[in-house]
């Protein structure tokens, strides 16, 4: 009797264990995730690219001295608005001692030559008046005399230029540095007491000031080689500046570089755009800027959020999962068009009535066959 009860108890325990195992397996086989769905919708979509760069004046004029010397006085400050001819600075001429000595010696030699020539001229003039020499001989001597006077004048002018900076003894013309164009003084890289040199064949010369018209600005930036082929001269741009919040400026693309520059392993092409500057805003030279360019635009097309897309790991073809029953989904291959980074155009494969599976944010999206098996 005891054996029978013992065997019955063991059987009950075994059956209970089997039932518990079956219940656990069945409970865990059910999906604990409920997926939302969304329908495709109609919208306008733009494919854009953003070029980073800066806003600079269209033309910057560098003011350089006509003579070498030392900055004696600076009359303006950076940021001043000037007209052509306004006085910027004054230079004090400091002549080179060797050049000054050579010029002084040249003047003395010219004076000696002139005196000797004058003596010869006076003597030949007396002989010519008496009919002793011919007119040709007298004219030759007269020419030498005129040349000697001209040589003395040139020597004296060179001496005055070296000593004072001007041939007429007044250094105002050369020592006064004036604006050559109207605009804003962007930079004065020198200060009083600095030595400056004039431009020559071996040196660009010292820049006294840089002037530009801040009402004529251009955007200068770079785009990647993968997008430069889609650009065209005259395309509209939207310029946003880091220094001016909640404001964009219109521009037109005016230049695309024919040659790219490799930077950090990527080839970049320089672009420029004419910026329309409004009177209410002061745009300073060198502001960092971003230019938004519309590469392609389509209106009233069927779209879905790009985050819903999946791609076959073998063919890389796009597809989504659509609902066919209560929390039952199947794969639907689709053809996509342009994307703006948020929504993507649906060329074929979906209608507005289809319910597309929305992936939970906390659940990683699987790609290809593994995802397809899970949906089944």
């Amino acid at each position: 009797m005891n054996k029978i009860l013992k065997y019955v108890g063991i059987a009950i325990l075994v059956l209970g264990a089997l039932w518990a195992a079956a219940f656990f397996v069945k409970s865990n086989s059910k999906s604990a995730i409920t997926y939302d769905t969304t329908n495709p919708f109609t919208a306008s979509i733009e494919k854009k690219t953003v070029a980073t760069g800066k806003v600079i004046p269209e033309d910057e004029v560098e003011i350089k001295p006509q003579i070498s010397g030392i900055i004696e006085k600076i009359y303006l400050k950076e940021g001043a608005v000037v007209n052509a001819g306004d006085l910027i600075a004054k230079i004090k001429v400091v002549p080179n001692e060797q050049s000054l000595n050579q010029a002084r010696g040249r003047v003395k030699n010219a004076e000696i030559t002139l005196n000797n020539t004058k003596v010869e001229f006076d003597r030949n003039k007396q002989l010519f008046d008496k009919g002793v020499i011919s007119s040709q001989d007298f004219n030759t001597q007269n020419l030498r005399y005129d040349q000697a006077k001209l040589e003395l004048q040139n020597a004296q002018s060179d001496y005055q230029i070296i000593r004072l900076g001007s041939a007429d003894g007044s250094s105002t013309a050369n020592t006064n540095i004036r604006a050559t164009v109207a605009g804003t003084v962007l930079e004065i890289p020198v200060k009083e007491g600095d030595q400056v040199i004039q431009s020559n064949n071996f040196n660009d010369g010292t820049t006294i000031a840089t002037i530009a018209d801040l009402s004529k600005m251009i955007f200068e930036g770079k785009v990647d080689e993968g997008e430069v082929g889609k650009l065209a001269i005259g395309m509209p741009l939207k310029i946003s500046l880091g220094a001016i919040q909640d404001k964009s400026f219109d521009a037109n693309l005016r230049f695309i570089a024919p040659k790219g520059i490799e930077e950090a392993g990527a080839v970049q092409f320089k672009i420029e755009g004419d910026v329309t500057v409004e009177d209410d805003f002061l745009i300073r030279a060198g502001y960092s800027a971003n230019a938004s360019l519309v590469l392609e635009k389509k209106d009233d097309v069927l779209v879905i959020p790009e985050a819903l897309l999946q791609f076959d790991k073998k063919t890389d073809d796009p597809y989504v999962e659509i609902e066919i029953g209560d929390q039952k989904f199947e794969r639907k291959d689709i053809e996509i068009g342009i994307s703006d980074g948020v929504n993507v155009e649906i060329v074929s494969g979906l209608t507005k009535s289809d319910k597309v599976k929305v992936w939970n944010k906390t659940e990683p999206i699987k790609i290809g066959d593994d995802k397809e098996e899970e949906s089944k």
Side-chain angles (χ1 to χ4, degrees):
M1 185 69 178
N2 291 334
K3 290 183 178 180
I4 294 174
L5 293 175
K6 180 178 180 181
Y7 290 138
V8 171
I10 292 173
I12 292 173
L13 290 174
V14 171
L15 291 173
L18 293 173
W19 179 86
F23 178 80
F24 178 80
V25 171
K26 185 177 181 181
S27 298
N28 283 274
S29 64
K30 296 180 180 179
S31 175
I33 301 175
T34 301
Y35 295 99
D36 294 330
T37 60
T38 187
N39 296 96
F41 58 96
T42 302
S44 297
I45 191 168
E46 295 180 346
K47 184 177 181 180
K48 298 181 179 180
T49 185
V50 176
T52 59
K54 58 184 178 180
V55 174
I56 60 175
E58 183 176 7
D59 294 307
E60 292 186 13
V61 178
E62 294 183 345
I63 308 300
K64 299 180 182 292
Q66 299 178 10
I67 59 174
S68 300
I70 294 175
I71 298 294
E72 182 177 358
K73 182 71 175 178
I74 297 177
Y75 297 96
L76 299 177
K77 294 183 179 180
E78 295 175 348
V81 178
V82 298
N83 294 315
D86 287 353
L87 186 61
I88 299 175
K90 185 177 182 180
I91 294 178
K92 179 182 179 182
V93 178
V94 180
N96 180 277
E97 190 66 26
Q98 182 179 5
S99 299
L100 187 63
N101 185 60
Q102 290 176 350
R104 189 183 297 115
R106 182 185 170 192
V107 171
K108 291 181 179 180
N109 288 334
E111 289 175 346
I112 293 172
T113 301
L114 179 60
N115 291 334
N116 290 337
T117 306
K118 187 177 184 305
V119 171
E120 287 294 325
F121 173 78
D122 292 339
R123 185 175 66 85
N124 279 270
K125 187 176 185 304
Q126 293 177 0
L127 295 175
F128 175 71
D129 292 340
K130 295 178 181 180
V132 177
I133 62 174
S134 64
S135 176
Q136 181 178 358
D137 292 338
F138 176 72
N139 290 337
T140 301
Q141 189 59 42
N142 188 25
L143 177 61
R144 292 175 182 173
Y145 180 51
D146 291 339
Q147 289 175 338
K149 289 190 291 184
L150 182 59
E151 176 62 25
L152 177 60
Q153 291 176 0
N154 291 337
Q156 290 173 339
S157 296
D158 291 344
Y159 176 69
Q160 293 293 336
I161 292 174
I162 294 174
R163 188 170 70 91
L164 300 175
S166 176
D168 59 1
S170 174
S171 60
T172 303
N174 291 333
T175 59
N176 287 347
I177 308 302
R178 299 183 180 274
T180 58
V181 295
T184 302
V185 178
L186 300 183
E187 183 182 15
I188 300 179
V190 295
K191 57 185 179 180
E192 294 179 1
D194 284 354
Q195 185 174 2
V196 296
I197 60 174
Q198 67 187 91
S199 177
N200 52 50
N201 293 334
F202 305 100
N203 195 295
D204 291 336
T206 306
T207 299
I208 303 295
T210 303
I211 301 176
D213 185 356
L214 295 184
S215 65
K216 299 178 180 178
M217 306 292 284
I218 64 171
F219 169 80
E220 184 181 276
K222 295 177 181 178
V223 296
D224 187 78
E225 63 177 328
E227 298 171 335
V228 70
K230 302 174 184 178
L231 304 183
I233 299 298
M235 288 181 62
L237 293 82
K238 285 290 184 181
I239 307 297
S240 58
L241 306 178
I244 302 178
Q245 301 295 327
D246 302 325
K247 175 64 180 177
S248 61
F249 297 87
D250 294 327
N252 290 311
L253 188 64
R254 73 172 197 177
F255 172 76
I256 305 172
K259 179 181 179 181
I261 301 175
E262 185 173 352
E263 294 182 357
V267 179
Q268 303 287 323
F269 286 82
K270 175 183 174 182
I271 64 171
E272 291 181 358
D274 291 314
V275 181
T276 302
V277 180
E278 301 177 12
D279 296 336
D280 297 338
F281 294 90
L282 172 62
I283 300 181
R284 302 182 187 275
Y287 273 167
S288 61
N290 291 328
S292 176
L293 300 93
V294 178
L295 302 179
E296 191 175 358
K297 180 179 180 179
K298 293 184 178 180
D299 295 323
D300 300 327
V301 294
L302 193 66
V303 300
I304 62 170
E306 191 171 359
L308 305 183
L309 288 180
Q310 302 177 61
F311 294 89
D312 191 289
K313 67 179 181 180
K314 295 181 179 179
T315 62
D316 203 33
D317 293 331
Y319 69 92
V320 294
E321 292 188 25
I322 61 174
E323 188 176 46
I324 58 174
D326 185 20
Q327 290 297 300
K328 294 182 180 180
F329 301 91
E330 70 174 5
R331 169 172 169 169
K332 188 68 175 294
D333 293 330
I334 60 175
E335 182 182 353
I336 60 176
I338 64 174
S339 168
D340 60 5
V342 178
N343 296 321
V344 61
E345 176 193 6
I346 301 299
V347 178
S348 63
L350 290 178
T351 64
K352 288 185 177 182
S353 60
D354 290 328
K355 295 182 179 181
V356 182
K357 183 177 182 180
V358 177
W359 288 89
N360 296 327
K361 295 181 179 179
T362 57
E363 183 183 7
I365 297 178
K366 297 182 180 181
I367 300 177
D369 297 341
D370 295 338
K371 182 65 219 163
E372 185 178 357
E373 292 175 3
E374 183 186 354
S375 65
K376 294 179 180 180

